[in-house]
């Protein structure tokens, strides 16, 4: 029988790429999004009668969902630092109320539930690379806390539903990801650097650029998400690219990649900006047989092709 998935945040960067992939898996897909950071254009191109989009806020009741649902994927939330800092209360409510609503729907429908969690649960990590067993180092009152604590709460809610109600749950901890259907103006490092280098503007490195991240291309991430969804793994699983780079290296790579005349300029480092971040993906390798395939050079090319093809829309 054809399976049906409901995905909150279905018009977002990761959500819209995931919708396409679930359709390719032969599923019916119901995408829900309030379009605050998601965009209609991310899903407009989906020409498939098995796809349905409903413009709603994930914090509202899901009572209107009728019929069978086999998978509930809770991917709604602002995720770029400027976005969640602009919408802190919505971000907290999307991690808390909306997670409970999505879990309740999954319970009622006897569906598998998946939470899109984040490497931000590790905060400014004191353990490197980060294993899933690490509990994290998060400032509960800092500017990033609305996102970090919302996702930590959401993980706790999922584990409570799993333990107390026997719900079949998945938690994916997503590390920095980039690729087509990101908003060019989302304020993240990869999008800023590529757009600035393309326009010949100064490339804005915050601080001295020695802080590190590990950037994963979207197709690799989506492959890992689908494998986790279809697995029986109820513990959190890190998905990310273990190729750790400094932000200064990323800025230089973007400039070189585009043959740009842009110069690097340094701006103040945002408060609580994590010093380093790199996933330990041993669990994903062992349980899902997954590891990333796409290099940064290739990923930058594909992302830039997308930005150029959608400019002026
Ligand atoms: N960053 C930067 N210049 C920018 C945007 C971001 O130097 O124009 C830095 C940011 O301070 C952080 C890293 O790049 O150290 C990654 O930022 P991003 O917003 O992409 O994701 P985060 O990992 O902080 O959630």
């Amino acid at each position: 029988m054809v399976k049906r998935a409901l995905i909150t945040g279905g018009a977002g960067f990761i959500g819209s790429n995931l919708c396409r992939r679930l359709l390719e898996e032969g599923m019916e897909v119901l995408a829900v999004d309030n379009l605050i950071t998601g965009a209609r254009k991310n899903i407009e191109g989906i020409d498939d009668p098995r796809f349905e989009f409903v413009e709603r806020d994930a914090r509202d009741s899901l009572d209107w969902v009728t019929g069978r649902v086999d998978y509930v994927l809770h991917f709604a939330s602002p995720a770029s630092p400027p976005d969640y800092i602009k919408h802190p209360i919505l971000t907290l409510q999307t991690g808390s109320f909306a997670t409970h609503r999505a879990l309740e729907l999954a319970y009622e429908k006897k569906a598998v539930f998946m939470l899109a969690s984040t490497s931000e649960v590790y905060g400014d990590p004191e353990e490197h690379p980060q294993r899933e067993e690490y509990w994290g180092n998060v400032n509960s009152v800092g500017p990033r806390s609305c996102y970090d604590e919302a996702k930590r709460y959401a993980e706790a809610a999922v584990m409570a539903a799993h333990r107390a109600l026997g719900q079949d749950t998945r938690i994916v901890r997503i590390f920095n990801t980039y690729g087509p259907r990101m908003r060019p103006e989302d304020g993240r490092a990869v999008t800023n650097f590529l757009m600035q280098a393309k326009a010949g503007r100064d490339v804005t490195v915050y601080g001295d650029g020695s802080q590190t991240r590990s950037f994963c291309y979207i197709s690799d991430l989506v492959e890992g998400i689908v494998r986790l969804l279809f697995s029986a793994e109820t513990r959190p699983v890190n998905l990310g690219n273990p190729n750790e780079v400094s932000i200064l290296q990323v800025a230089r790579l973007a400039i070189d990649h585009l043959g740009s005349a842009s110069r690097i300029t340094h701006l103040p480092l945002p408060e609580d900006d994590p010093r380093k971040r790199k996933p330990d993906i041993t669990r994903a390798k062992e349980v899902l047989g997954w590891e990333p395939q796409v290099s940064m050079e290739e990923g930058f090319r594909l992302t830039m092709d997308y930005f150029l093809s959608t400019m002026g829309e």
Side-chain angles (χ1 to χ4, degrees):
M1 203 173 33
V2 177
K3 301 283 187 193
R4 183 165 182 240
L6 179 147
I7 171 163
T8 70
F13 162 48
I14 296 175
S16 61
N17 282 287
L18 192 52
C19 284
R20 284 175 170 77
R21 176 58 192 271
L22 296 176
L23 290 164
E24 280 167 25
E25 294 289 326
M27 288 194 198
E28 292 173 4
V29 176
L30 171 55
V32 180
D33 203 300
N34 60 9
L35 301 179
I36 287 186
T37 57
R40 205 174 277 279
K41 78 168 184 186
N42 284 345
I43 47 161
E44 261 165 8
I46 302 179
D47 181 21
D48 191 322
R50 292 166 308 159
F51 180 72
E52 192 186 341
F53 172 66
V54 176
E55 185 178 342
R56 288 222 187 209
D57 193 299
R59 294 169 296 173
D60 296 341
S61 164
L62 288 165
D63 286 356
W64 54 272
V65 179
T66 53
R68 215 188 59 254
V69 177
D70 304 287
Y71 299 96
V72 174
L73 299 100
H74 185 36
F75 276 64
S77 180
S80 138
D83 285 339
Y84 59 68
I85 288 167
K86 185 170 165 202
H87 301 288
I89 296 169
L90 173 139
T91 302
L92 281 157
Q93 292 176 342
T94 305
S96 53
F97 310 160
T99 301
H100 286 294
R101 291 205 190 279
L103 277 165
E104 282 160 17
L105 180 76
Y107 183 75
E108 194 186 301
K109 302 285 185 184
K110 299 186 174 51
V112 174
F113 179 89
M114 177 182 265
L115 171 71
S117 186
T118 171
S119 55
E120 284 285 319
V121 300
Y122 302 121
D124 189 8
E126 285 165 336
E127 182 180 305
H128 195 71
Q130 294 79 51
R131 292 172 306 131
E132 289 88 348
E133 287 80 7
Y134 177 52
W135 291 357
N137 175 38
V138 173
N139 175 1
S140 64
V141 293
R144 298 173 84 102
S145 66
C146 59
Y147 185 65
D148 301 10
E149 298 291 13
K151 292 292 188 180
R152 290 170 66 94
Y153 179 93
E155 288 198 2
V158 171
M159 292 314 297
H162 176 67
R163 293 196 182 101
L165 304 172
Q167 285 193 242
D168 192 8
T169 54
R170 314 278 181 270
I171 296 175
V172 52
R173 290 191 181 145
I174 300 171
F175 283 65
N176 295 65
T177 303
Y178 68 98
R181 302 192 183 85
M182 286 180 108
R183 282 171 21 248
E185 69 288 356
D186 74 0
R188 289 193 254 216
V190 170
T191 32
N192 275 3
F193 294 170
L194 286 175
M195 297 310 288
Q196 290 161 341
K198 180 69 200 161
R201 296 196 310 267
D202 283 358
V203 169
T204 54
V205 169
Y206 302 157
D208 64 6
S210 63
Q211 71 271 32
T212 69
R213 295 292 187 274
S214 308
F215 293 95
C216 187
Y217 186 66
I218 183 69
S219 62
D220 282 332
L221 178 77
V222 166
E223 177 63 33
I225 290 172
V226 169
R227 288 190 194 197
L228 176 60
L229 189 65
F230 296 158
S231 78
E233 181 59 71
T234 57
R235 296 171 302 172
V237 177
N238 287 339
L239 291 182
N241 193 319
N243 175 31
E244 183 184 10
V245 285
S246 76
I247 292 304
L248 193 58
Q249 274 177 282
V250 179
R252 291 203 179 114
L253 191 66
I255 291 171
D256 291 349
H257 179 76
L258 292 165
S260 168
S262 289
R263 289 179 320 182
I264 290 175
T265 181
H266 293 269
L267 295 179
L269 190 67
E271 195 180 332
D272 289 350
D273 201 274
R275 286 295 314 151
K276 49 189 189 283
R277 193 184 283 156
K278 169 185 165 122
D280 181 323
I281 59 165
T282 308
R283 183 173 290 171
K285 277 188 186 161
E286 284 175 4
V287 179
L288 312 175
W290 176 87
E291 67 184 305
Q293 307 293 328
V294 181
S295 68
M296 257 189 127
E297 289 75 13
E298 174 72 353
F300 272 19
R301 191 179 62 71
L302 295 165
T303 306
M304 209 52 225
D305 286 352
Y306 166 78
F307 284 153
L308 293 175
S309 72
T310 56
M311 265 175 194
E313 267 180 20

